[in-house]
Amino acid sequence: MDRPIGVMDSGVGGLTVVREVIRQLPNESIIYLGDLNRCPYGDRPMEQVRRYTIEVADVLVARGIKMLIVACNTATAAALDILRERYTIPVVGVIGPGARSAIQSSNNQNVIVLATNGTVDSGAYPEAIRRINRKFNVESTACPKLVPLVEELRYKDKVVVRVVLHQTLKHLHSSKADTIILGCTHYPLLADEIFDYFSGRKKVIDSGHETARETSSILTALKAHTPSQSEPTYTMIVNGKTERFEYILKDWMPFLDYEIEQITLEEETQ
């Protein structure tokens, strides 16, 4: 089925999922929409996040996508079930795949979730993990300072990153958890620093890998993979200014040949 996969996020973080989808599914075309003007979602009321998520998803569905990936943990927690009821195409979130990966990786059934306020407050990760294995202990920590590090292009300043990570994670040094879930798709841009902060003693789970695997499995089941002879295209839609988006895109995926489009979505939707 030669139609693109749609990927949405509140900003640039979902590009970490896009990179993994491209690696695992190189024949597939992708349309990405980053809602930069209203990023981050993590500190907004969940009802507002729900409205924004539906609006962004509607834009992508109108472009004729064959599948939607909600590459934002807060949006997944707020609206995944609603989106699945709203559309006839498959809709995949990032929380379920990340939870399953952590269960497979942990040796002592103790997991830390680093996420936005919204995702932590939703309890989505503990619920997803304990639905599979109720013996797991899940410790969630809100990290509101991490998304701005990425969105404001400070994630390459190692000194600033170390200071912010210490302020955010120092209380977790005594945790016996052996696995950390990066519960926000912005955080993989800081994954190496988070791994180093814990001196390599904790596995760091990026849900992008498992989300791409789940996407592939669904396309296989539906016989909806794009034929190998087709040339994939990549379209990036940005609600907001494109400069910092392209900076991160070119840094994260310098190999990518893409088209970029700027749109305007209202700050509030009715």
Side-chain angles (χ1 to χ4, degrees), residues 28-207:
E28 301 295 339
S29 294
I30 294 173
I31 301 179
Y32 180 91
L33 201 163
D35 193 7
L36 268 71
N37 268 356
R38 304 186 298 199
C39 180
Y41 283 3
D43 294 328
R44 294 182 180 272
M46 289 303 267
E47 182 54 40
Q48 188 178 53
V49 173
R50 194 169 294 116
R51 294 198 306 271
Y52 288 171
T53 301
I54 292 170
E55 182 182 11
V56 170
D58 280 351
V59 172
L60 288 171
V61 171
R63 301 287 181 114
I65 60 176
K66 63 183 176 183
M67 183 174 184
L68 174 64
I69 299 174
V70 184
C72 172
N73 287 265
T74 306
T76 297
L80 184 64
D81 291 341
I82 294 172
L83 298 181
R84 285 174 170 169
E85 292 178 1
R86 188 177 180 89
Y87 310 123
T88 57
I89 59 172
V91 181
V92 175
V94 288
I95 290 176
R100 289 190 289 275
S101 180
I103 290 171
Q104 293 169 357
S105 298
S106 178
N107 293 318
N108 67 3
Q109 299 183 334
N110 285 273
V111 172
I112 293 169
V113 177
L114 306 181
T116 63
N117 287 317
T119 301
V120 170
D121 290 345
S122 75
Y125 270 102
E127 180 182 350
I129 290 171
R130 291 174 185 145
R131 189 183 303 126
I132 298 170
N133 189 332
R134 59 185 176 83
K135 295 181 179 179
F136 263 72
N137 178 59
V138 183
E139 186 175 1
S140 299
T141 292
C143 308
K145 294 182 179 180
L146 298 191
V147 169
L149 279 182
V150 175
E151 292 290 337
E152 296 169 10
L153 307 180
R154 293 183 293 153
Y155 64 98
K156 285 197 166 185
D157 188 326
K158 302 303 182 184
V159 174
V160 171
V161 169
R162 281 196 296 269
V163 169
V164 173
L165 288 182
H166 181 67
Q167 292 172 344
T168 304
L169 306 178
K170 59 185 177 182
H171 69 287
L172 296 173
H173 258 299
S174 60
S175 171
K176 64 180 180 181
D178 66 349
T179 301
I180 295 174
I181 299 175
L182 301 180
C184 174
T185 50
H186 287 70
Y187 297 177
L189 286 162
L190 305 169
D192 290 343
E193 288 78 9
I194 292 171
F195 181 79
D196 291 342
Y197 182 77
F198 290 102
S199 304
R201 293 180 286 106
K202 302 183 190 298
K203 302 170 189 174
V204 177
I205 301 297
D206 171 8
S207 59

Side-chain angles (χ1 to χ4, degrees), residues 33-38 55-56 59 63 237-241 261-269:
L33 201 163
D35 193 7
L36 268 71
N37 268 356
R38 304 186 298 199
E55 182 182 11
V56 170
V59 172
R63 301 287 181 114
I237 305 172
V238 178
N239 175 36
K241 296 181 179 179
E261 176 183 341
Q262 187 176 14
I263 65 171
T264 300
L265 300 174
E266 296 299 326
E267 174 64 20
E268 286 289 346
T269 60

